[in-house]
Each structure stands twice: as structure tokens, then as C-alpha cells.
Amino acid sequence: WALGVVLFEMLTGQSPFAAPTVSDSLARVLERQPDLGLLPPRTPAQVRTLLRRCLQKDPRERLQHVGDARLELTEALDAPVQPVGEATGAPREASLTRTAVWATIAALVAGLAVWVVSRPGPAYAPVTRVRVSLPDGQRLTGATSGPLMAVSPDGTRLVYATDRRLYLKAMGDLDGAPIPGTDLAEAPFFSPDGAWIAFTQGGELKRVPVAGGSPLPVTPAPETISTAFWSEDDRILYQRVGRGILGVPGSGGTPDELMAVPIVGEGAAFVMSPQPLPGGQALLFSRRPPNADWSSGEVVVLDRATGETRVVVERGKNARYVSTGHLVYVDGQTLYAVPFDVERLERTGAPVAVETGIAGSLTIGVSQFAVSASGTLVYGTAAGADTSRGLVWVDRDGTESPLSIAGRAFEYPRVSPDGHRVAVGVREAVIDLLVHDLDRDTTAPVTFDAGEDESPLWLDGRHLIWAGDRDNARQTLRRSADGSGAEEVAFPPGVSHHHLGAWSPSASLLAYTTTDWDIWIADLAVDGEVAPTPFVQTEAIEQAPSFSPDGRWMAYASMQSGRSEIYVESVPRGGGLWTVSVGGGTEPLWSADGREIFYRGVDRMWAVSVETDPGFEPSPPRALFADRYARLPWRARNYDVTSDGRRFLMVTEAPAAESDGLVVVLNWFEELRRRVPVN
């Protein structure tokens, strides 16, 4: 490669990849072929062939030894020179004489010898930053519960998540290649030897060989796994909501609990980003207090011998220990580094800001960066993490008609029974609810900075019910949809964290999903204390329940087959079980007339015609429009349908931005050592 670059410059007077900066030059190396049209017209064909062989981007296709170039140049001396563009067969005097050719070789060899002998040893490897733009049609996942990217331990490969699947990219390749079997996968990470990529898919932890092959299960995990780590002793550590940190063999097996959820203040903390520290006696993780966002997060070390936890960073999240002797973590959109003693489990210096503009979610708590064992840093830029989304009507044939309301971080859109208003959640510093009047084009808040308020449902045309955090407890609340009057508790607290799924006005039944991803039902018509009862309670993930209009049937999504499918059962249970989806499905919704069930497939919205009298009888699913709209990481229903079943209220994905890509920093450890010295 080096010979080809130097020879090209000697013949043309310019570098084949010249650019104003080192980063631009590296980008041209990756993206462009050298322009052989710049060579002098009388350059022998053998020299052109030599240059092509030397400058192949794939090392396997490249000339393997500089000595082989002598044979190519010798042939060039013996052949007549044919100027480019002239007819063959007219011999001409060679303008590149034997003396000139061997002088060139001699100059190259002598120059290389002098450079090898006399060059000073560099104080450090050059640090290089390169922006990696994704090809057309690919963009980083808008809503995710885990990291969007990971870098292999040796820094040679990058895996990243789009809104439909995982892609694997070698650092020397221009584009990434899709990984089969990873539709709707999230939170990828590499094994310590770089031979496997692990990820979550529908709540299940899986792994796939980097060399190619089908994904294999590691363990069914009935939770949303937001962060995980594959340790050197071949164990995968992961966090489960409300359950602490678990570990499972990388080859698969039964998980065991490494740490229960630590108590902070008056409730259980939310923990994530587990990593065993060198020696295995301590565990690093991040946590935040209950009912708070990650601006209150802290970095904690657990001494596994004593059970003692120690706060080592008072404000931060997604901490990682790296071999340079630093903890790196994120606060806001800034990546910090601080020297850390793994034996004494304490900081030995002050934090230093080392990178800015790191993408991430303050509410979910995931920052988009990854570091390889070899010292390569990869991160998404904050500008690419725009969460503004619009609301749009979509006809059954896919025709769009946007609502006039300005884009925000919308989720859980719900159309009022009369079709004149829309309730929707806004996930920003906290999660609030608002109602948009379609006739008057006005918007009014229902909640305001009171806590996490989400998954609203219309009780009738005048009142809303939703799940909200109050007084360090999850409660089911209701209020007038115009924001007037005080909040009321629909039924007492004490139920584990839940998302409200469906309301049946005819039967006064409320269905919701618990922390264990089971579906429970509460009868709000019962006088006195409400006693919720389980409807579907298994080891698999069940979510997104939807009642038929008469309350006799329930559709829901379940992972009981190993893939999320849509099932229907009678209410109460016992009248049969039907699978109505084909090829996977999430987010079911019963039509207002009870004759259809809608659900979301991998990339389409589907409809299933059903008969419910005298018994349940489904028809084969029919594909409706291309579904490129926003989804929630926990697969709760993120759309609604008008009462006539003709229009769908969808949430658009966050708009693509120029920074919808990644930044790669090569030899980042060299810079880290200089900027944040370790005693």
C-alpha cells in the first residue's frame, strides 16, 4: 500500500488521497479509488496494473510483498510503451527508460532505509477522528431502551442498530451489512474475543456469530434489558427493571442474581450499566433514585466481599472502567474521565471533560458511546438524538395527513371516543400528558411536571385515566380531560410499575402490564377496595392488552413461542386461545365495531377480520400500509384508530439530521492518558 501511494505521487506529482485534514484523507482512503487517469499518458500498462494491485482496499486482494513489484517493473522495461488512448500495434520509444525505472526503485529503497534508521520514535500514536455517515435508508433507532452501537474489543468492527435490524461494519469497509435474524433487535454488545455479538430482541437475550450464522438464545428474559456487559470470564451481566443485576453464561443457561436492587432514599433505585472490575471482587454500575430522571444519577461500586456499596461519582451514568486506569462516564451530553484505583475502589483525581455532544436519553438513561479494549471510542452525536416527533393521520392505504400540532417527544396517542380530541404523552424532562382539540386546534396540559405520567386512556368523552408516579409509588390516576378539577386515585397504590393497556367501558374493566410483564385486570365497578387479578401470568413477556368492545375478548402480545405474536382469549379465560398474527406481531388494537384486530408487524400494519358470535373465528391477516412510524422500546401500543376504523393516528419518527451517524476516535487511549494523567 505504501509503495503504491509513493509511486503514484512520484508519477503524478500529487497524493492519491490528498485532503485538507488527516480526517478527510482517511475518509477518502475509505470512500475513493485513486484516479489512475492522472498518470502520464505514456505510463506502461504494467505500472498501471502494479498501482491497482498495490492500492486494493481489501488486504487479501493486495500485492503481498514489495519484492514482487520488481517483477512488474522489469516487465514494464521490456515492453513497448503504448500511450493511453492510441491504437495498439504502433511501437513507440519508451519514455520511461530502464535507467529511470531503476533509479526510481533505488530512490524508494534508499529513502525507506534512511527513514527506518533515522526516524525518531513517536511519543504516541496519532489520534484520529472520523465521522461515519450511514447509507441512505439507514438511520439510528429513534426510540430505544439500550445503546445503539458497540465496537469490537480489537476496534476493527462496529455493530449498530437501525430502527429495523442490526448492521455489522468492518472499519475498513464503506458500508455495514445487515445481520440476518436481528429484526427489531436492540442493545448490541461484543463478546470479549470479538467472535460473538449479543443483543436483545423482544425482551430475549440472544447471540449471533460475527462470522455469520443464525442467532442463538442465551436466556429468555421477561424484562426490557437496557444495558449488558460480556465479561472476560464468559458471563453476561445485565440489568432487569426492579430486579437488580443478573449474570448468565455467555453460551446460555439459567441466570443468577449478582446484586439485588440497592435502596436509595425511600425506594428502590433503578440500576444499569453493570461491569465487573478487574479481579472480579467489585461490581461497577450506575443508579438513580426512584421517580427521578438521570440528572440525579450516580456511579456506584459494590464490594462483593463485604456487600458494601460506595458512590464514586456523585453525578453521572453509563460508567465504564478502561485499561488506562480511568472511569469514563456521561453527565448530560459530556463524556468525563477520572483516574480510578481498582484496588482501593476510589478516585485518585478530578474528573475531566474529554468529549462533548454525546447523544443519549435523560429519561431512559442510556448514553450512546462505546469503547473498545484497544482504545477506539465510538459515539453518536447529540444533534442526531432529536426526539421531536409529529402526529399524523394515516389512511388504510398509507396516505398521510399531518396534524397541525408542533412536533415534540410524543408517545401514546389516544383518540377520544367522539374523534374530536387527542390525548398524548410528551417525554421530555418528565413525562406529561396533554390534550389537543382537533376542531379548535388548541392544546392544553392535563398534567404538568408532577411526575412520570404515561399510557393515558379515555374513560369516556370527558375523563382520562393514566399511570403516574406520586409519593414514590406508582398510581392509577384520573382527571377531567380539560385539566379542570383535581386528580383522583382510580385505585390504590401498591401495584408494581405498570403501563395501562386497555379500558372496557361496557364492563368497567382496566387491563394493564406489570413489572413482570404479566397482564392483570382491575374491575373499577367494584365498590370499595379494588382487588386486581392476573389475567395472563407466565415466564414469557405479555404486553399491550386490548379489549373487544363488549369486553368478552382480549387481544395481547406474547413471547410464549419465542417470538412476539398476537393472541386472543376470552374474558374470563377458559374459552380457548387463538394466534391471529403471522410472522410476528406487536401492539394489538380491537376496532370500535369489534370486527377487526389491528397489529404491527416488522414493517407493516396488519388487520385481521374476526367473528365473535357465537365463538371466536379469525380470518387470515391482511397487510395495510408500510409501518415506518415510531415505536416504544417496551412495545406498548404507540398508535390509535378512529372509531370508523379508516384512519390511524401514528407518531412519526424523529426527523433525520445531518448527524444521523457516528464519530469514531482512533487511538483514543493515547489522548486520554495525556489529558487525564493517572498517578
Side-chain angles (χ1 to χ4, degrees):
W1 177 271
L3 172 67
V5 171
V6 174
L7 184 57
F8 183 95
E9 186 165 354
M10 293 179 72
L11 291 170
T12 64
Q14 57 185 291
S15 169
F17 307 109
T21 66
V22 173
S23 298
D24 292 336
S25 293
L26 285 174
R28 292 189 179 185
V29 169
L30 295 174
E31 298 171 358
R32 298 186 183 182
Q33 296 293 338
D35 185 3
L36 298 183
L38 297 175
L39 295 170
R42 306 177 78 82
T43 302
Q46 292 89 340
V47 176
R48 295 175 183 272
T49 301
L50 172 65
L51 285 170
R52 278 194 296 269
R53 291 175 177 173
C54 287
L55 297 176
Q56 286 289 334
K57 298 188 186 301
D58 188 342
R60 296 169 297 183
E61 304 295 330
R62 192 181 304 151
L63 197 68
Q64 297 298 302
H65 196 280
V66 173
D68 296 337
R70 179 178 61 82
L71 302 177
E72 302 281 353
L73 291 174
T74 299
E75 292 181 4
L77 296 175
D78 296 333
V81 177
Q82 179 68 40
V84 176
E86 292 192 11
T88 59
R92 292 180 176 271
E93 180 180 357
S95 63
L96 193 61
T97 66
R98 183 181 300 270
T99 301
V101 169
W102 289 114
T104 298
I105 295 176
L108 284 171
V109 173
L112 286 171
V114 171
W115 176 75
V116 169
V117 172
S118 63
R119 65 183 174 132
Y124 55 87
V127 178
T128 304
R129 285 170 169 78
V130 179
R131 186 178 298 279
V132 179
S133 298
L134 302 184
D136 292 342
Q138 295 183 25
R139 61 186 305 273
L140 299 179
T141 304
T144 181
S145 60
L148 298 176
M149 83 290 291
V151 60
S152 62
D154 62 4
T156 62
R157 290 182 174 89
L158 174 69
V159 61
Y160 59 89
T162 69
D163 51 358
R164 290 296 179 263
R165 61 185 55 86
L166 299 182
Y167 283 77
L168 180 63
K169 179 185 183 301
M171 290 300 188
D173 293 343
L174 294 177
D175 298 324
I179 302 177
T182 61
D183 291 344
L184 302 180
E186 297 181 321
F189 55 100
F190 280 91
S191 62
D193 60 4
W196 294 85
I197 297 171
F199 57 92
T200 63
Q201 188 178 49
E204 184 178 2
L205 190 60
K206 297 183 178 181
R207 61 185 180 129
V208 63
V210 170
S214 300
L216 302 174
V218 175
T219 180
E223 295 289 350
T224 298
I225 302 173
S226 57
T227 52
F229 185 88
W230 202 325
S231 63
E232 292 290 344
D233 61 353
D234 195 33
R235 287 180 63 78
I236 296 177
L237 280 63
Y238 62 93
Q239 162 267 334
R240 293 172 64 187
V241 177
R243 299 286 188 83
I245 296 174
L246 303 183
V248 64
S251 58
T254 301
D256 56 356
E257 187 173 76
L258 302 181
M259 186 196 75
V261 176
I263 302 300
V264 176
E266 300 179 2
F270 184 88
V271 300
M272 65 189 315
S273 304
Q275 179 192 8
L277 293 175
Q281 295 305 308
L283 189 64
L284 177 73
F285 60 94
S286 303
R287 72 182 178 192
R288 67 168 172 81
N291 308 316
D293 62 38
W294 277 97
S295 64
S296 303
E298 57 191 9
V299 179
V300 181
V301 170
L302 167 70
D303 188 327
R304 300 179 66 181
T306 64
E308 176 191 358
T309 58
R310 180 185 305 174
V311 177
V312 294
V313 174
E314 291 76 15
R315 181 184 169 98
K317 59 182 179 178
N318 300 129
R320 281 283 178 260
Y321 177 79
V322 295
S323 60
T324 56
H326 296 89
L327 291 184
V328 293
Y329 63 93
V330 172
D331 182 16
Q333 296 179 349
T334 301
L335 183 65
Y336 289 86
V338 61
F340 186 77
D341 188 322
V342 294
E343 294 184 0
R344 293 186 294 169
L345 300 181
E346 61 184 32
R347 292 162 37 180
T348 59
V352 176
V354 290
E355 298 285 339
T356 59
I358 307 295
S361 167
L362 185 64
T363 304
I364 299 175
V366 177
S367 298
Q368 302 301 340
F369 80 97
V371 184
S372 76
S374 62
T376 297
L377 170 68
V378 180
Y379 65 89
T381 55
D386 181 11
T387 59
S388 297
R389 303 182 180 97
L391 296 176
V392 60
W393 294 113
V394 183
D395 293 343
R396 295 171 77 102
D397 62 1
T399 302
E400 292 186 355
S401 176
L403 277 68
S404 60
I405 185 172
R408 297 177 68 179
F410 291 132
E411 61 183 30
Y412 290 107
R414 298 293 183 260
V415 183
S416 64
D418 61 9
H420 293 285
R421 289 179 291 176
V422 170
V424 66
V426 180
R427 182 177 289 269
E428 291 174 345
V430 295
I431 311 174
D432 285 315
L433 303 179
L434 55 83
V435 171
H436 181 72
D437 191 305
L438 298 172
D439 298 329
R440 297 187 296 165
D441 196 21
T442 58
T443 304
V446 178
T447 66
F448 186 75
D449 291 344
E452 183 177 291
D453 297 303
E454 48 109 300
S455 57
L457 297 171
W458 288 91
L459 279 176
D460 47 39
R462 298 179 296 111
H463 296 86
L464 289 175
I465 190 171
W466 70 90
D469 288 332
R470 301 290 187 273
D471 300 324
N472 293 320
R474 194 70 158 174
Q475 300 190 23
T476 302
L477 305 168
R478 62 185 171 197
R479 189 178 192 179
S480 172
D482 61 10
S484 63
E487 292 179 351
E488 300 176 354
V489 177
F491 63 85
V495 179
S496 57
H497 181 100
H498 58 277
H499 307 290
L500 302 191
W503 166 247
S504 173
S506 60
S508 298
L509 299 179
L510 175 67
Y512 59 90
T513 306
T514 68
T515 303
D516 295 326
W517 296 112
D518 296 323
I519 295 174
W520 287 54
I521 294 178
D523 189 346
L524 300 191
V526 175
D527 293 332
E529 184 176 348
V530 176
T533 58
F535 180 75
V536 183
Q537 192 174 29
T538 72
E539 289 299 318
I541 294 177
E542 280 87 27
Q543 55 190 341
S546 177
F547 283 114
S548 62
D550 58 9
R552 295 174 51 210
W553 308 92
M554 183 184 290
Y556 60 91
S558 175
M559 289 284 297
Q560 60 186 272
S561 69
R563 176 175 62 184
S564 182
E565 300 282 4
I566 307 303
Y567 297 89
V568 171
E569 291 196 61
S570 62
V571 181
R573 301 181 75 188
L577 173 68
W578 294 265
T579 306
V580 300
S581 59
V582 174
T586 61
E587 305 175 50
L589 176 60
W590 219 293
S591 66
D593 62 8
R595 303 183 63 180
E596 285 184 302
I597 297 173
F598 306 106
Y599 71 89
R600 304 178 78 167
V602 173
D603 56 5
R604 307 285 299 185
M605 181 69 74
W606 294 81
V608 178
S609 296
V610 298
E611 295 290 340
T612 59
D613 193 15
F616 183 80
E617 185 67 33
S619 297
R622 307 183 315 279
L624 299 181
F625 53 86
D627 187 356
R628 56 182 180 275
Y629 302 98
R631 305 180 187 226
L632 296 171
W634 45 93
R635 306 303 180 210
R637 181 166 59 88
N638 202 36
Y639 71 96
D640 207 359
V641 182
T642 55
S643 59
D644 60 8
R646 298 176 59 184
R647 293 200 301 172
F648 294 73
L649 182 59
M650 311 298 296
V651 180
T652 63
E653 281 284 14
E658 183 180 352
S659 57
D660 263 356
L662 303 169
V663 173
V664 178
V665 187
L666 305 176
N667 299 316
W668 183 64
F669 280 176
E670 300 292 344
E671 181 178 84
L672 184 59
R673 291 187 183 99
R674 297 196 312 272
R675 296 186 60 184
V676 192
V678 175
N679 294 329

